[in-house]
Amino acid sequence: MAIPTHTLNDGNVLPAIGFGTYPLRGDDGVAAVRSAIENGYRLIDTAVNYENETEVGEAIRRSGVARDDLVVTSKLPGRHHGYDDAIASVHASLERLGLDRLDLHLIHWPNPSVGQYVEAWHALVDLQKQGLVRSIGVSNFSPEHLETIIDDTGVTPAVNQIELHPYFPQSVMRDVHEKYGIRTESWSPLGKRQAPFSEPPVAQAAERLGVTPGQVILRWQVQLGSIPIPKSATPERQRQNLDVFGFELTADEAAAITALGRPDGRLFGGDPDTHEEM
Ligand SMILES: NC(=O)c1ccc[n+]([C@@H]2O[C@H](COP(=O)([O-])OP(=O)(O)OC[C@H]3O[C@@H](n4cnc5c(N)ncnc54)[C@H](OP(=O)(O)O)[C@@H]3O)[C@@H](O)[C@H]2O)c1
């Protein structure tokens, strides 16, 4: 089944689901990313900090899928937020990937105490004008961080990639994104190690629909309008995770999954407003 798409606020198009690549590295990493592409994923999510851009580039070349059919995302690390550092960082990412263009580049974390994320955003705006990056966005930005960069540059990020899963459904951020026209992407979309596969709303929907709990959670993400980027090193799970467009949760089922959200549901222990990425 063809993967539906979302048109971003800059006119570019993203598939409604993507593939997360952390921590896939080395020969096994190349094999896993290649298998994901061969299984049909077209949006691939990497980052400088994952130290696997070389492997992702290799997997893309070995997959035989045309470059222009893929949407390659990477992320700018906190240590490269200065304007010149950010420009150099993107050139280095392209070199490692063996590509002449990124389709989406995100500021990985705002790192507010360093205070250079506005500079980093200026660099991404300029790289987009030069055609080196097709769409630009952010990750782990709070409403205040979004407001700051939009006010300063007049350019709204196309995407904010945030932690989002049933225990942490991010209702406030989704509303903020709606207001600005920013597309939400969900990291740890299954909930990673604490995936709520046996929670009754998930298990019961899986039973009714004859699908797996993981598929129910990813379908819930799709119905929220967020783009999940599940990671799996297993070809069978890669296929299963992609196969979420042939069934539908009822509004009540989806609402019951959203209601699993809880104040301590965040996987990442810190406060993203103050978190300093390594
Ligand atoms: N922007 C950020 O700050 C940020 C932070 C964290 C992550 N990310 C991105 O988000 C991506 C996904 O997040 P994540 O890897 O943390 O979490 P996730 O995708 O929610 O979960 C991945 C884990 O779930 C397992 N899994 C995958 N499909 C499954 C299925 N159908 N049934 C049972 N288990 C399944 C995987 O194991 P197997 O591999 O063994 O299948 C892996 O252990 C990352 O790879 C990365 O690209 C971004």
Side-chain angles (χ1 to χ4, degrees):
M1 176 160 308
I3 302 172
T5 57
H6 294 289
T7 300
L8 304 177
N9 61 17
D10 61 8
N12 293 324
V13 171
L14 288 191
I17 190 167
F19 183 72
T21 67
Y22 181 78
L24 302 170
R25 292 199 193 103
D27 289 345
D28 289 350
V30 173
V33 177
R34 179 182 174 181
S35 145
I37 297 170
E38 288 173 354
N39 276 317
Y41 290 87
R42 292 296 175 262
L43 167 58
I44 310 296
D45 184 85
T46 180
V48 172
N49 280 347
Y50 302 169
E51 297 179 349
N52 67 0
E53 289 174 309
T54 306
E55 283 91 332
V56 168
E58 188 60 29
I60 289 170
R61 282 184 294 283
R62 288 200 203 165
S63 75
V65 170
R67 163 68 185 98
D68 284 346
D69 290 342
L70 293 168
V71 178
V72 182
T73 304
S74 192
K75 309 189 195 80
L76 184 75
R79 62 189 179 280
H80 297 163
H81 279 193
Y83 183 89
D84 291 340
D85 289 339
I87 302 277
S89 179
V90 170
H91 282 278
S93 284
L94 290 170
E95 180 113 346
R96 283 188 292 271
L97 285 157
L99 300 176
D100 56 11
R101 173 198 87 228
L102 274 155
D103 300 294
L104 176 64
H105 205 61
L106 310 177
I107 299 177
H108 203 150
W109 287 89
N111 285 30
S113 83
V114 176
Q116 286 188 312
Y117 65 90
V118 178
E119 256 191 74
W121 187 240
H122 276 275
L124 292 196
V125 169
D126 289 346
L127 286 159
Q128 185 182 35
K129 285 187 191 140
Q130 292 162 21
L132 288 180
V133 179
R134 192 171 265 177
S135 290
I136 55 176
V138 296
S139 181
N140 302 301
F141 270 43
S142 69
E144 293 71 28
H145 302 137
L146 292 172
E147 195 181 331
T148 302
I149 59 170
I150 295 167
D151 282 355
D152 201 76
T153 61
V155 180
T156 303
V159 164
N160 188 14
Q161 183 183 113
I162 54 176
E163 178 181 344
L164 197 166
H165 46 76
Y167 289 141
F168 199 63
Q170 293 270 26
S171 306
V172 172
M173 284 310 296
R174 285 188 286 110
D175 285 348
V176 169
H177 293 168
E178 182 83 26
K179 180 181 97 182
Y180 284 121
I182 296 171
R183 179 60 52 186
T184 310
E185 276 190 345
S186 304
W187 62 256
S188 294
L190 293 164
K192 209 173 183 171
R193 56 191 169 276
Q194 47 167 266
F197 291 154
S198 54
E199 290 283 358
V202 175
Q204 285 162 13
E207 174 79 20
R208 180 183 76 79
L209 290 156
V211 298
T212 67
Q215 286 174 306
V216 166
I217 295 172
L218 294 171
R219 179 67 207 181
W220 167 79
Q221 296 269 3
V222 165
Q223 289 185 211
L224 288 181
S226 187
I227 299 176
I229 47 167
K231 170 264 172 186
S232 178
T234 318
E236 174 52 30
R237 283 181 179 167
Q238 293 174 354
R239 281 192 287 277
Q240 197 186 93
N241 292 345
L242 198 57
D243 184 15
V244 295
F245 300 102
F247 63 93
E248 199 164 344
L249 302 170
T250 65
D252 284 351
E253 285 171 333
I257 295 171
T258 306
L260 292 172
R262 52 192 205 201
D264 64 346
R266 193 190 285 278
L267 284 167
F268 169 70
D271 176 350
D273 287 349
T274 54
H275 173 70
E276 304 297 317
E277 155 223 31
M278 316 112 336

